[in-house]
Amino acid sequence: MRVSIDADVCIGAGQCALTSPDVFTQDDDGFGTVVPGREDGTGTLVREAVRACPVQAITLQEATGRAST
C-alpha cells in the first residue's frame, strides 16, 4: 500500500493523526501529513484514518494499483 494526503484538499481536522498517529501527523500549520518513512501505509488503523477524513483528502493506493479514498 501507499498512503498520501492531498494538501490542497486537507482542512486540518486532525482525524487522521488522532486515529493513526504512527502513520499521520500534523504540520506546523495544522494540516495532515504522512510521517516520513511511513508512506507505505504500514501501521495501525490506517484504513480507519482514511475513512475518518471529513473531506476525503487521504488516498490509500492498493498494491493492485486501485486507489481508495
Side-chain angles (χ1 to χ4, degrees), residues 7 19 28 31 33 40 42 44 49 53 57-58 62 65 68-69:
T19 305
D28 292 338
F31 294 101
T33 62
D40 62 359
T42 303
T44 58
C53 180
I58 305 170
E62 302 290 342
S68 64
T69 56

Side-chain angles (χ1 to χ4, degrees), residues 6-67:
D6 186 337
D8 292 331
V9 176
C10 180
I11 61 171
Q15 295 303 306
C16 57
L18 289 171
T19 305
S20 184
D22 54 333
V23 176
F24 301 99
T25 189
Q26 289 181 287
D27 65 15
D28 292 338
D29 295 321
F31 294 101
T33 62
V34 178
V35 173
R38 300 310 297 262
E39 295 86 359
D40 62 359
T42 303
T44 58
L45 303 173
V46 173
R47 291 182 193 281
E48 287 79 2
V50 171
R51 286 191 288 270
C53 180
V55 293
Q56 300 176 337
I58 305 170
T59 300
L60 186 61
Q61 183 77 30
E62 302 290 342
T64 62
R66 192 177 128 228

